[in-house]
Amino acid sequence: MKIDHLLKRTRGFLRSLIPERKVKRLVSQPTIPDQLQNVLEMLDNSKDVIYHFQVKPEWKFIYLSPAIDLWLGEGTAEAAMTDPAVPFRLVHPDDLAEMMDKVSNEVDYGEMLIQRWKDQDGIYHWFEEHITPIYENNELVALQGVTRNIDERMENQRRLEYQANYDALTDIHNRAFFNQKIERLNEEVSTPAGMILCDVDRLKMVNDLYGHEAGDELLKRVARFLTRFSGEDTTIARIGGDEFIVLITGEHTHVHLQELEKMMVMEMERYNSTHPEEEIQLSIGCAFTGNSIGCMSEVFRQADAEMYRNKAEKRRRSIEHNRGVLL
């Protein structure tokens, strides 16, 4: 490409990156080829992906910095310069509609766009993009943009969200997540709802006799056991030191609740018979409401009371059994 033609193509792009007075001064100087080359080298060496994309009369990259190869793989920039549809094939399917809106003048170009792009290994990376539209006669003819990789930021955000919603020891949902779900059911979502509240028996004894590491292993074992019963309408959470809860919602909650309680007891007996050295004992309490709005606190109270009745009954039977053995 001749230098005059390249300058003409690039000048508008430079205007979005460099103050207008500097662009004019750059153009007016006799050493323009050298200075233009320096600017292009600066763009090429940037780790941000910088581009000028022609929308009309036809799709075409006028410029695409090689930084895209750092994230998506060697040869990506060259392929896109040859075939402008390449980015549309690499973008995540859920972000494709926004990509089409971007070249159709149907997005707010003042907002930062967040999109995912697939590399040559099939792994998606996160990018944020700042776009400047170019118009001629009130018609969108080109887009200029700077796209920055934000994988690290998104991973940190994911980690923080995970820590906010999951129990660090057992990797199941925590009390904060459970409280948010209960709040929505109590105030916003009208649906049948039920709870199975589980208290881990003998946790204190395990901690006292074998140490807290053994107690932690027991809690992890209980979490893995309860996770067997999770599903689309069933949420498992650890809500206290030795307390877990199974929250059920949906049209057939009442029937599901009764079936699930029986299944849990049967599965626990089966598990203990085959893993006597890793026995799990849970005191269980259930409660149900046909309409969650304004009722979830009472459902929890009823499940909690039922659970303590179950624990007291098991203790009473254990005492009577021990007396019978002594006699």
Side-chain angles (χ1 to χ4, degrees):
M1 181 181 292
K2 293 182 178 179
I3 192 63
D4 292 341
H5 184 58
L6 178 60
L7 177 60
K8 182 178 179 181
R9 288 288 193 178
T10 307
R11 180 171 179 170
F13 180 54
L14 296 179
R15 188 175 291 114
S16 68
L17 302 176
I18 305 173
E20 174 68 15
R21 63 181 182 277
K22 290 186 179 180
V23 174
K24 290 181 178 179
R25 186 164 64 248
L26 180 65
V27 172
S28 63
Q29 293 179 7
T31 56
I32 179 63
D34 292 338
Q35 295 208 21
L36 178 59
Q37 182 63 34
N38 291 338
V39 172
L40 291 176
E41 288 179 0
M42 177 189 70
L43 299 181
D44 286 348
N45 292 329
S46 172
K47 290 187 178 180
D48 293 338
V49 180
I50 303 170
Y51 69 85
H52 182 116
F53 184 77
Q54 176 183 285
V55 177
K56 291 187 177 181
E58 62 180 358
W59 286 4
K60 180 181 181 181
F61 277 102
I62 303 303
Y63 176 80
L64 177 61
S65 64
I68 191 70
D69 289 2
L70 296 175
W71 308 110
L72 303 187
E74 191 71 28
T76 303
E78 183 178 357
M81 291 295 291
T82 302
D83 179 4
V86 165
F88 296 84
R89 294 196 293 267
L90 296 180
V91 74
H92 192 282
D94 292 345
D95 300 332
L96 179 58
E98 187 175 57
M99 275 281 289
M100 297 304 299
D101 290 343
K102 183 170 68 174
V103 297
S104 303
N105 199 25
E106 295 181 4
V107 298
D108 182 356
Y109 295 111
E111 296 290 330
M112 194 76 72
L113 297 185
I114 305 293
Q115 295 178 332
R116 291 155 289 181
W117 301 79
K118 183 171 62 177
D119 66 17
Q120 293 176 354
D121 295 322
I123 299 173
Y124 282 98
H125 299 274
W126 289 91
F127 295 89
E128 65 177 13
E129 181 177 6
H130 176 74
I131 306 170
T132 301
I134 307 298
Y135 296 97
E136 290 183 4
N137 299 321
N138 295 321
E139 185 178 31
L140 179 69
V141 295
L143 298 171
Q144 298 170 350
V146 179
T147 303
R148 175 167 295 177
N149 179 267
I150 56 170
D151 282 345
E152 185 175 353
R153 185 203 307 171
M154 298 303 291
E155 175 59 22
N156 289 337
Q157 180 178 320
R158 185 203 65 77
R159 188 180 299 112
L160 290 174
E161 290 175 351
Y162 185 89
Q163 292 172 351
N165 292 299
Y166 285 83
D167 178 58
L169 176 65
T170 62
D171 285 331
I172 63 174
H173 288 300
N174 60 16
R175 182 65 182 253
F177 179 88
F178 172 75
N179 286 343
Q180 292 173 6
K181 201 166 183 71
I182 289 298
E183 184 176 354
R184 287 193 67 240
L185 290 170
N186 202 54
E187 299 178 3
E188 302 174 22
V189 181
S190 177
T191 182
M195 298 180 191
I196 303 177
L197 188 58
C198 307
D199 185 89
V200 182
D201 296 336
R202 304 173 186 170
L203 176 62
K204 185 178 185 305
M205 182 189 73
V206 171
N207 284 332
D208 292 344
L209 291 178
Y210 305 106
H212 286 278
E213 287 188 5
D216 288 348
E217 287 302 317
L218 174 57
L219 292 171
K220 293 177 185 178
R221 201 154 59 240
V222 170
R224 289 194 297 269
F225 172 77
L226 292 176
T227 302
R228 300 180 184 186
F229 308 105
S230 63
E232 184 177 350
D233 297 320
T234 306
T235 302
I236 314 294
R238 182 187 178 204
I239 61 172
D242 58 357
E243 287 189 338
F244 294 78
I245 197 158
V246 181
L247 176 65
I248 307 169
T249 58
E251 182 180 356
H252 304 292
T253 293
H254 197 198
V255 174
H256 188 193
L257 183 71
Q258 294 174 327
E259 292 176 346
L260 191 56
E261 181 187 12
K262 294 177 182 177
M263 187 184 305
M264 285 175 59
V265 173
M266 291 175 57
E267 285 295 317
M268 188 161 49
E269 291 176 353
R270 183 180 294 114
Y271 177 87
N272 289 338
S273 67
T274 56
H275 301 79
E277 74 287 354
E278 298 180 351
E279 187 178 65
I280 293 174
Q281 294 293 341
L282 301 175
S283 295
I284 295 174
C286 301
F288 167 79
T289 179
N291 188 337
S292 60
I293 296 291
C295 298
M296 297 310 295
S297 295
E298 177 60 19
V299 173
F300 183 86
R301 188 195 67 77
Q302 291 178 11
D304 189 55
E306 184 65 25
M307 183 267 291
Y308 276 104
R309 278 194 290 270
N310 180 236
K311 182 178 284 289
E313 176 62 21
K314 290 165 67 175
R315 187 180 295 116
R316 182 188 64 79
R317 290 199 303 266
S318 177
I319 292 173
E320 290 181 353
H321 174 74
N322 290 335
R323 284 177 179 171
V325 171
L326 290 175
L327 291 175

